[in-house]
């Protein structure tokens, strides 16, 4: 291979390596979905329980593996059914509430960029209701079926580009010492 071709291929390999490292470095800074509102509002004082709890985000969510729960002051689940993702919103039905006190609303969703986003908010029921609780919250979470939580595919793609670029640069530039050997 001529010296000019090796330099050109080496420059391309270094450019790929640099671009891959730049993307890899920018990965953690990529924007994830951000919670913009919750219904009922965080810290709300309610005399009757809501029929649904809804979290609204700044962008559409992926429908894969959403989790939304409402846990009462008694440690029981008061949410029922499966969470529903509708564009930037995820919601779940809430059964008639029981004891007065603080109810914790928890969410775990997958943002548009593939990263899981989670958090909690709460409201206070000021007057006891007559609802029947679901199972204990810790029993429901320990039997839960997995979830994504894995590494997004783009990380593997960037890693492959970086490895390929580095290997190509080493093969083309690092393997030669500049000495020519002559045949006798």
């Amino acid at each position: 291979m001529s010296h000019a071709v090796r330099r050109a291929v080496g420059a391309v390999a270094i450019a790929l390596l640099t671009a891959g490292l730049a993307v890899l470095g920018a990965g953690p800074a990529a924007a994830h979905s951000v919670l913009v509102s919750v219904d009922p509002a965080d810290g709300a004082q309610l005399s009757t329980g809501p029929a649904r709890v809804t979290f609204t985000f700044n962008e559409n969510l992926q429908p894969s593996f959403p989790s939304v729960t409402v846990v009462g002051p008694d440690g029981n689940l008061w949410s029922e059914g499966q969470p529903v993702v509708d564009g930037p919103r995820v919601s779940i039905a809430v059964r008639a509430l029981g004891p007065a006190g603080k109810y914790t609303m928890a969410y775990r969703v997958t943002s548009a960029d593939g990263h899981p986003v989670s958090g909690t908010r709460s409201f206070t029921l000021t007057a006891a209701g007559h609802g029947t609780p679901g199972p204990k919250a810790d029993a429901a979470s320990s039997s839960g079926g997995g979830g994504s939580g894995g590494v997004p595919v783009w990380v593997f793609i960037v890693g492959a580009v970086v490895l390929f670029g580095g290997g190509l640069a080493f093969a083309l530039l690092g393997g030669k010492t500049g000495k020519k050997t002559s045949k006798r």
Side-chain angles (χ1 to χ4, degrees):
M1 195 183 300
S2 77
H3 184 65
V5 171
R6 264 192 288 145
R7 283 186 80 112
V9 171
V12 169
I14 289 172
L16 280 173
L17 183 63
T18 303
L21 289 173
V23 169
L24 191 60
H32 307 311
S33 294
V34 175
L35 183 66
V36 252
S37 68
V38 61
D39 182 25
D42 189 28
Q45 302 282 317
L46 307 174
S47 58
T48 60
R52 280 191 100 58
V53 165
T54 303
F55 294 92
T56 303
F57 294 83
N58 66 325
E59 64 184 2
N60 287 344
L61 302 170
Q62 291 187 13
S64 54
F65 308 112
S67 174
V68 178
T69 58
V70 177
V71 177
D74 57 356
N76 289 320
L77 282 174
W78 292 88
S79 50
E80 63 182 349
Q82 296 298 314
V84 175
V85 174
D86 182 20
R89 287 175 291 285
V90 61
S91 65
I92 195 161
V94 178
R95 60 180 74 230
L97 297 183
K102 183 178 178 180
Y103 285 76
T104 302
M105 307 172 286
Y107 64 89
R108 181 170 171 31
V109 295
T110 306
S111 65
D113 65 1
H115 286 86
V117 178
S118 60
T120 60
R121 300 295 186 268
S122 64
F123 65 87
T124 300
L125 185 65
T126 58
H130 301 288
T132 305
K136 284 288 188 194
D138 58 354
S141 64
S142 65
S143 68
S148 176
V151 179
V153 171
W154 69 265
V155 172
F156 294 105
I157 294 170
V158 170
V161 168
V162 168
L163 286 174
F164 176 76
L168 186 59
F170 178 77
L172 295 174
L173 303 174
K176 303 286 183 180
T177 60
K179 296 180 182 178
K180 290 187 176 183
T181 58
S182 60
K183 291 186 180 178
R184 295 185 190 208

